[in-house]
Amino acid sequence: MSDRKKVTIRTLFGKAKKGDPISWLTCYDYPTASFQEQAGIDMILVGDSLGMTMLGYDSTLPVTMDDMIRHTQAVRRGAPTAFLVGDMPYMSYQASTETAILSAGRFMAEASCDAIKLEGGSEIASRVAGIRAAGIPVVGHLGLTPQSVAALGGFRVQGRGAHQAKQIIDDAKAIEEAGAFAILLEMVPDRVCKIITERAKDCLILSLGSGPHAHGQLLIYHDMFGLYPDFTPRMAKVFGNAGEIILNGLQEYVSEVTDKTFPQRENWFTMKDEEYDDLMELMD
Ligand code: KIV
């Protein structure tokens, strides 16, 4: 258990003011959250990417609020001081501002997050404003927004053309003005991210594959440790291949059980001879 003080919005703005980049990672379970807490991560995102990384769906769309709450509660237990952001799942905020406020409120109350995140630009500014007015801190998400991946034409960089880049810059302003205290830019060109970061007045800009000019960086935990078997996106740096270590260990286990080299004496429990003798008598 770490003895650091709780990371708050104030802590995060304090880092940005000093020019110290904010570290942010996704996380979906208790043991990983404990490791991230020990490593001193500033922020944790329980992303609806858990639909793919943990539940094996081929998109984030089937993830429900119940899924999100269950995983976020586990992460909070493992990381009591990290700034915890809960990702609003598909259709928990799109239909109306009222739905958005109720979903965000449930997330905060049941999962103890510090903020919620939702995807989209000016079209969801009213949702951001409503949630903010209910006293809930909001993180926006622009660029590649996985819940709209079909409309965006797949998992690809957003804003490479001038017109689309301008749209993302305008959307960032709209979301900031609606009350978001932070915006994640996913797979946006570095120079577009730089413009948005420089223009942000009271808003932290965080980058996922959008370059070094933001106030902080996000990575998907499974990508950085080779834990997602289907693919690793180009922007992800692999910091260690845990997936390979686990696979090797599993293959070794199967072969040791098969050739009877596992278990060894230290891997099982025994009873005293006299207890065993008594047992035999009882059995007779
Ligand atoms: O769900 C998630 O993990 C996300 C990231 C892709 C930013 O929203």
Side-chain angles (χ1 to χ4, degrees):
M1 183 67 64
S2 80
D3 53 8
R4 98 175 147 170
K5 283 205 322 211
K6 177 87 188 71
V7 179
T8 63
I9 290 184
R10 214 179 136 96
T11 324
L12 300 174
F13 274 95
K15 286 194 90 166
K17 199 166 167 202
K18 285 198 274 172
D20 293 343
I22 294 164
S23 56
W24 193 14
L25 278 178
T26 60
C27 183
Y28 318 101
D29 61 79
Y30 171 81
T32 310
S34 307
F35 286 135
Q36 294 193 7
E37 173 90 16
Q38 282 176 54
I41 199 80
D42 294 314
M43 294 174 71
I44 290 178
L45 171 67
V46 183
D48 62 354
S49 52
L50 69 82
M52 298 169 81
T53 53
M54 302 296 286
L55 304 178
Y57 296 126
D58 61 3
S59 82
T60 59
L61 305 195
V63 175
T64 64
M65 189 52 108
D66 286 346
D67 293 331
M68 292 308 301
I69 286 175
R70 171 61 64 94
H71 284 268
T72 308
Q73 288 168 336
V75 170
R76 177 47 97 205
R77 287 191 282 272
T81 71
F83 190 90
L84 184 59
V85 182
D87 204 10
M88 299 269 278
Y90 186 57
M91 284 303 145
S92 66
Y93 59 93
Q94 285 91 343
S96 69
T97 300
E98 192 186 343
T99 316
I101 297 170
L102 291 174
S103 303
R106 181 172 170 219
F107 219 154
M108 297 293 285
E110 292 183 33
S112 311
C113 13
D114 297 302
I116 59 85
K117 173 173 91 57
L118 38 73
E119 300 180 7
S122 44
E123 74 284 0
I124 56 111
S126 61
R127 314 293 191 269
V128 174
I131 296 170
R132 184 68 204 94
I136 299 171
V138 181
V139 180
H141 181 169
L142 294 168
L144 176 66
T145 44
Q147 290 175 13
S148 323
V149 72
L152 297 176
F155 289 92
R156 56 174 63 189
V157 179
Q158 301 295 310
R160 273 201 162 130
H163 284 96
Q164 201 191 19
K166 173 74 166 56
Q167 182 63 54
I168 295 172
I169 292 167
D170 290 347
D171 280 339
K173 202 29 87 188
I175 293 299
E176 177 179 355
E177 283 170 359
F181 81 93
I183 297 174
L184 170 67
L185 296 180
E186 179 172 353
M187 287 174 75
V188 163
D190 57 344
R191 285 187 284 185
V192 177
C193 179
K194 186 165 188 274
I195 294 171
I196 294 174
T197 307
E198 285 168 356
R199 288 186 174 198
K201 288 205 175 73
D202 205 13
C203 191
L204 301 168
I205 306 301
L206 295 135
S207 155
L208 172 55
S210 304
H213 306 295
H215 299 114
Q217 298 292 324
L218 171 68
L219 269 187
I220 308 286
Y221 174 82
H222 281 60
D223 295 339
M224 66 186 287
F225 289 111
L227 289 169
Y228 187 57
D230 295 359
F231 65 90
T232 305
R234 187 179 75 73
M235 69 209 175
K237 176 172 172 185
V238 179
F239 283 77
N241 204 334
E244 198 175 287
I245 294 172
I246 291 170
L247 181 59
N248 288 341
L250 291 170
Q251 286 167 338
E252 222 172 297
Y253 172 71
V254 170
S255 96
E256 286 195 13
V257 170
T258 309
D259 68 16
K260 300 185 184 166
T261 51
F262 179 87
Q264 291 292 317
R265 176 68 189 79
E266 66 274 18
N267 305 121
W268 69 70
F269 301 93
T270 58
M271 68 197 296
K272 289 189 176 140
D273 288 347
E274 54 271 31
E275 293 297 337
Y276 182 73
D277 293 342
D278 287 352
L279 173 62
M280 287 302 107
E281 263 173 42
L282 287 172
M283 305 272 289
D284 286 342

